Every structure is written in structure tokens, then in C-alpha cells.
Amino acid sequence: MLKVYLDNNVASAISRRDMDKAELEAIDQLLEAKRSVNLDLGTSCQSLREMERAPSNHRAKLKTGLSEVAEVEDDHKVLGFHTQTDQYGGCITNPLVTDIVNDKLYSDLLASGLKDDDAKHLMYAVHNGYQRFLTCDGGILSRKTTLGKICPLIRIQKPSELIKELSATRGKDRIDPTETSGIA
């Protein structure tokens, strides 16, 4: 199964429809293919965090696109617990949690020039074993070569580039949702 991570700008475009026509068509083809092909589309809670920062009148519409994709399983790390007790034998325990699941990778991504949100998205994708990272973010796409050295197991590309790749595998100009061969 091909695991494909959607950056927030791609995930939000599912409902906002605010991208270039070719990218929107590619996203639609991927969603259709996901329903019937060996294709896993996912994103992380980072997309939800970013959508929560949008004006309140836009949040609900932004989040509707998230219903089309899975959420990564591993997007936080428990560091320990803090417990407080009182003189009567009661206690309260709070977990100490971080959303940085791979410190070295996250630091390397920030050092490459990525913004905090972008570094977290790519860190979650790599950490959860995704093979493709789809984005239309120029700040990420312009660093593809550098990021490819930091994250050699994931390919960063636009949705339309993945469609071309999958179509070339099948020798067609579009993905046929009923066809399952060629996706690894």
C-alpha cells in the first residue's frame, strides 16, 4: 500500500477548492483512487491545529476535508507524569506530553529552513512511514533536494506529480480507480 501524507495546504484544499486547477484535479483523482485502490491518504493533528488558527467562520469548512483522510497514529510522545498529592491522600496525575516525536529529525528540518508547522508535518510523515509527502508549499518544494537528504525514505511532490507518476506506472493519462496494479 502506498502511504501518502497530505500537507495542510493540500488537506484544506479538499474543501476550500483554492488551488491551481491541475492540483485540484489531482487531489480529486487521489481521493477517488483512495476509495478503491491500495492507497492510504493521511495527515496529522498538525493540520487540525493550523485550521484552528483560522478565523472562526472558516474553521468548519476547512475541517470537512479532513473527513476524507486518515490521521497518523503516532503524533505525540509521553515524556513522563507529574503527580501532586494532598494531605488527605488524594492525588492528581498529569501526563507530560510533547508533539515532537523525533527530536533530531525535527531539529534538522528546522535547520534546513523549514517553518515550525512545515517541519512538524514532514516529521510526522517520516516518523509514521509515509512514502510520499504532497504539498504545494513553495517553502517546502524549493528545499526538495536538501530535504531529500534529511528524509531519504519519503518523496516530496505536488499532487499532480504523484498523479503523473502513478499514471505512468499504468501507461495512462489518469488514474483509473478500478485499477489496482502498479501501486506499491
Side-chain angles (χ1 to χ4, degrees):
M1 176 176 297
L2 182 64
K3 292 181 71 174
V4 180
Y5 185 96
L6 306 181
D7 191 13
N8 186 53
N9 62 10
V10 176
S12 65
I14 294 170
S15 57
R16 286 180 52 171
R17 311 301 295 170
D18 61 348
M19 274 192 183
D20 170 271
K21 183 180 177 187
E23 299 308 325
L24 287 174
E25 286 176 5
I27 292 168
D28 291 342
Q29 285 185 52
L30 289 168
L31 289 171
E32 185 61 35
K34 172 193 80 91
R35 294 179 185 106
S36 57
V37 178
N38 224 2
L39 188 65
D40 178 18
L41 298 179
T43 193
S44 68
C45 63
Q46 187 63 30
S47 285
L48 186 58
R49 286 186 202 121
E50 289 181 44
M51 290 174 186
E52 282 294 324
R53 293 192 301 244
S56 60
N57 58 325
H58 296 289
R59 289 181 197 150
K61 184 175 182 182
L62 283 172
K63 293 175 188 176
T64 60
L66 293 179
S67 66
E68 295 280 341
V69 296
E71 190 172 311
V72 299
E73 293 180 17
D74 194 3
D75 61 5
H76 66 279
K77 180 169 54 174
V78 177
L79 301 173
F81 296 88
H82 172 75
T83 302
Q84 283 185 293
T85 58
D86 64 25
Q87 69 271 24
Y88 304 111
C91 71
I92 298 173
T93 300
N94 296 304
L96 304 172
V97 178
T98 181
D99 58 353
I100 306 303
V101 294
N102 185 323
D103 295 320
K104 169 106 173 72
L105 176 59
Y106 178 68
S107 296
D108 290 347
L109 293 170
L110 289 176
S112 77
L114 286 184
K115 296 176 186 173
D116 178 67
D117 288 335
D118 296 335
K120 286 178 181 175
H121 277 291
L122 191 51
M123 173 191 64
Y124 293 136
V126 170
H127 183 77
N128 285 277
Y130 283 82
Q131 297 128 323
R132 300 293 189 280
F133 183 89
L134 299 187
T135 187
C136 291
D137 184 324
I140 297 173
L141 293 170
S142 66
R143 293 176 173 83
K144 275 170 62 165
T145 303
T146 302
L147 296 172
K149 292 175 185 170
I150 297 170
C151 313
L153 299 178
I154 195 166
R155 187 178 305 162
I156 298 168
Q157 54 194 170
K158 291 181 177 182
S160 59
E161 293 170 336
L162 178 58
I163 289 296
K164 285 179 188 170
E165 175 188 338
L166 295 175
S167 298
T169 303
R170 291 177 184 72
K172 301 174 183 176
D173 62 349
R174 287 182 58 88
I175 292 180
D176 178 356
T178 62
E179 174 66 49
T180 59
S181 65
I183 295 180

